[in-house]
Every structure is written in C-alpha cells, then in structure tokens.
Amino acid sequence: MAGRKNNYKLFTTIVVTCGFLYFYVSLSSNLLAGSNQKSHSEYTFTESVPKTIEHTDTIEELPEAFEQLSEETLQLIINQKKIENSKRLAKIAWFCDAEKKLQSLPPTSHMYDIPGRNLSLSLIAKVASTSWVAFLARTEIPACIQYIESSHSGHADLHACVKEGLTVDQHEGHVRALFIRDPWTRLVSVYEDKIVKQRFVQADECYKRWRIVRKLPSNMTDDKAVPANLSFAQFIACIIETKDPNDLDPHYRPQYLMQGLCHEQYTQIGTLEDLNRDFLFTMKMAQPSLTAAQLGNLLKIFSRGPRRPWEVTNLTDKRLRTAHYFKSLTETSIQGLQNIYKWDVLLHSYRFRPLT
C-alpha cells in the first residue's frame, strides 16, 4: 500500500513538473516570436539583438612606415577583419529581415565603380568620402589632383571631378564596400568643418533662424576677427527642428537613410574608427593578388588625406573634444538627437548616448 502511495506521489510530481516546463517553453517562444514584430520605435538598447565587436583599435599594430607592412601582419589583420565584417553583415541582415522601415528605404545613389579594382564603393558624406576621392584622384584620375589642395570650396570641386570620372554602380560581381561612422563624432566633425570653418551655405536657413549673418564681408580674411557664428547648440536645434530627417543636408543626414542597407548586398563594411585597417581589408578582398608591400604603398597614398589643419587624430583628444560639445546641450536636445540617429546606433553598434 505504501509503495502505491509513493508511486502516485512520484507520478503527480512528474506531471506537474512537465506541465510547468511546457508553460515556460511556450511563454518563452511567444516572447521571442513577438520580438520580431516590433516597430523600430519599440526597440530598446539592451535587447538581445545580434552584437558586433566594440569599435576600438584592433590588437595588431600597423608599422609606422606603411610600405613596410609584412605579409604576416597583413594576414593577422585580414583574419580579424573577416570576423568583424561577418558580424556586421549578420546584424544588418537580421534587422533587414525584422524591420519593415528599413526594407522600404530606397537603394543608395552614392555607389560608384572603381576602375580596375573589382570594387564598388558607397561614398557617404562625412564618412571618409574625401579621403577616398583624394586617393582615387592620385591613383586613377590624375586630372583631379589639382583640386586636392584647393580647399576653399570644402573639396566640392574634388568630389565633382572624381565622381565625373567614375561610373555609377553597374557591376554586381564587384566587392561592394560601405564605410560607417559614429554619428556623434560625425556631428562634431560637420560642425567644425562646415559651420566653424566654412559657414556652410546649406545651413543658411539655420543662420536666419538665429539671426546670425552667414556671409562674411568680402574684406574678411582668416587673420581678422571673425563675427559671431552658430553655436553647437544652435546648430543641433536646427537639426532637431527639421521634421523629416531626409530633408537634412547629406553631411548630417542619418547615414542609414543613404546606405540602402537592405538592397545593396554589401560584402564589406568598414569603419572610420579603424579606417586604415579597413582600407587594407577592403582592397585585399577586392584584389586578392595584391601583396603586403603593394597594399602598404596604397595605404600610404590613402592616408595622405587631405587632412584639415583643425582635425585632431589622437583618439583621446577626439573623445574629449566630442564630450566638450555635447556638454553644451540640454537633456531634451540629446534625446531629440537620439531619436533622429537611433538607427545609425542600432545597426552599427555605436553608443546610444554621446560622450559628455
């Protein structure tokens, strides 16, 4: 009799346990299934979406003289970059599959075929595009070299000359490369380059909004006192007040709106934060026969810039400078920027909040 009671208790325990496990598994499955149906506005930045590695320098250091790049060092860089690249592409594919907003975006209009390189390159404003067109002028389109040091137009003449010598993307078999950038440092770069230095004509409405004279007097030179300019906070306010981000100038329009991520079948995604190594990786994938010495020489040409004199290359100085600008913003302004540039953050694993 006692044996039957024990068997009954054991049976009851098994049934209850199985029922609990079934409920738990069913609940977990429903939650996971529901997560794929969220609208883009419902994503949080702690959810279990595919991750990429941090945007930091890789362990393998490049030689100071790029032409001394060894085959061993190159192979170490290529191996690590393959891992990074596959993670970035997987994350983008995940979002393209889950998010209708991204699926509805048009293909990019910024993709160009690079002659003789088996490479199609997407040139996005303020994401190393000037470095690329200067490189192409020096290596492929020498007629455009004259515009590299002519910076009075912000290198607009250089861009126009090089792009005129390229064909719009026509080769599906090419390596298809895109470069991305931290949206917060990109905003600081735009402000210093286009507002502080050039008093950007495309920002004319913003100058009017704050009743500041954009056009300098004809006798104004660099060594004379410069009249009041837009502050960083005023510039950011104009961005936030723009109802449709597609109406923002390409230099500070969210990158994802111009990348065509769900249509272009990119094979390489590099970052401005590790530009030299990603340049090597991109060129090696496009032309596998290139030796380390040949790639080192190409990188030497690419890294010549043009570098603007007010640009700081030290990573610590860049972070301090970026934090300095964003400290001038209110919390409401930072939240407004987060809403505009959220997809640049989500898709490419940048910080949701700028350093302050």
Side-chain angles (χ1 to χ4, degrees):
M1 191 73 176
R4 289 183 179 179
K5 286 184 178 180
N6 289 336
N7 288 339
Y8 178 77
K9 287 181 179 179
L10 179 61
F11 176 77
T12 303
T13 301
I14 292 173
V15 169
V16 171
T17 301
C18 289
F20 175 78
L21 288 173
Y22 177 81
F23 172 78
Y24 178 79
V25 171
S26 298
L27 178 61
S28 300
S29 298
N30 289 335
L31 288 173
L32 287 172
S35 68
N36 283 336
Q37 303 183 11
K38 289 186 176 184
S39 86
H40 71 282
S41 61
E42 295 175 310
Y43 285 106
T44 67
F45 290 81
T46 57
E47 288 191 83
S48 182
V49 296
K51 303 294 182 183
T52 61
I53 66 171
E54 293 294 321
H55 295 274
T56 55
D57 287 343
T58 53
I59 296 173
E60 194 58 38
E61 292 294 330
L62 289 169
E64 290 187 15
F66 294 142
E67 64 272 20
Q68 296 177 6
L69 177 67
S70 69
E71 293 292 344
E72 181 182 8
T73 298
L74 174 63
Q75 192 57 54
L76 289 171
I77 291 171
I78 297 304
N79 290 344
Q80 177 153 5
K81 286 299 173 183
K82 283 181 177 179
I83 296 172
E84 291 180 24
N85 191 60
S86 65
K87 289 182 178 180
R88 290 193 184 105
L89 293 174
K91 186 168 190 177
I92 289 169
W94 188 92
F95 273 114
C96 284
D97 183 60
E99 186 52 55
K100 291 183 178 179
K101 176 183 174 67
L102 298 176
Q103 298 167 9
S104 67
L105 294 175
T108 184
S109 60
H110 305 271
M111 182 76 81
Y112 297 90
D113 290 337
I114 310 306
R117 296 288 183 187
N118 189 39
L119 175 64
S120 294
L121 181 66
S122 184
L123 296 172
I124 305 296
K126 296 307 293 181
V127 191
S129 60
T130 299
S131 294
W132 273 106
V133 296
F135 169 76
L136 294 172
R138 291 180 173 122
T139 59
E140 315 293 342
I141 313 174
C144 300
I145 291 176
Q146 60 180 311
Y147 299 112
I148 292 178
E149 302 305 328
S150 176
S151 60
H152 66 279
S153 60
H155 300 298
D157 293 337
L158 172 63
H159 278 260
C161 180
V162 170
K163 290 173 183 177
E164 186 177 338
L166 301 175
T167 57
V168 177
D169 176 36
Q170 295 176 345
H171 294 82
E172 293 184 2
H174 279 186
V175 164
R176 303 174 67 78
L178 168 72
F179 280 74
I180 58 176
R181 184 177 190 175
D182 183 326
W184 314 126
T185 59
R186 182 170 177 250
L187 281 174
V188 170
S189 179
V190 167
Y191 177 71
E192 291 187 333
D193 180 12
K194 304 302 180 185
I195 303 300
V196 174
K197 184 67 177 178
Q198 299 181 40
R199 305 178 81 90
F200 204 35
V201 64
Q202 284 85 341
D204 195 45
E205 289 302 315
C206 192
Y207 281 94
K208 293 177 181 177
R209 155 77 170 80
W210 295 103
R211 299 180 181 179
I212 294 174
V213 176
R214 184 194 67 78
K215 192 173 182 181
L216 296 176
S218 58
N219 63 347
M220 180 65 67
T221 59
D222 290 341
D223 59 346
K224 294 184 178 181
V226 178
N229 204 340
L230 287 171
S231 69
F232 185 67
Q234 289 171 327
F235 173 60
I236 294 302
C238 292
I239 292 176
I240 294 171
E241 290 170 3
T242 303
K243 293 181 179 180
D244 184 353
N246 284 289
D247 293 334
L248 293 169
D249 183 84
H251 291 84
Y252 40 95
R253 187 182 304 161
Q255 296 164 70
Y256 81 96
L257 293 174
M258 301 180 283
Q259 293 167 339
L261 289 170
C262 299
H263 302 283
E264 296 301 339
Q265 299 180 326
Y266 289 112
T267 58
Q268 320 290 132
I269 297 183
T271 70
L272 189 85
E273 291 74 31
D274 201 14
L275 183 58
N276 286 344
R277 294 180 187 85
D278 282 317
F279 170 85
L280 289 174
F281 178 58
T282 299
M283 298 302 289
K284 181 66 174 178
M285 293 301 99
Q287 295 180 277
S289 62
L290 290 175
T291 65
Q294 289 171 322
L295 284 167
N297 280 315
L298 290 176
L299 178 57
K300 184 177 181 180
I301 297 170
F302 180 78
S303 63
R304 287 170 61 186
R307 299 286 185 187
R308 295 172 175 85
W310 61 91
E311 287 182 331
V312 181
T313 56
N314 180 277
L315 185 59
T316 300
D317 288 345
K318 280 186 176 181
R319 286 173 176 165
L320 291 173
R321 187 183 62 189
T322 299
H324 166 75
Y325 281 112
F326 282 101
K327 281 179 180 178
S328 68
L329 303 183
T330 65
E331 184 62 28
T332 300
S333 293
I334 289 178
Q335 290 174 0
L337 287 176
Q338 287 173 324
N339 186 53
I340 294 171
Y341 294 98
K342 179 170 72 173
W343 278 109
D344 282 353
V345 169
L346 265 175
L347 286 161
H348 304 307
S349 299
Y350 288 108
R351 294 175 180 269
F352 179 47
R353 185 182 180 86
L355 293 171
T356 55

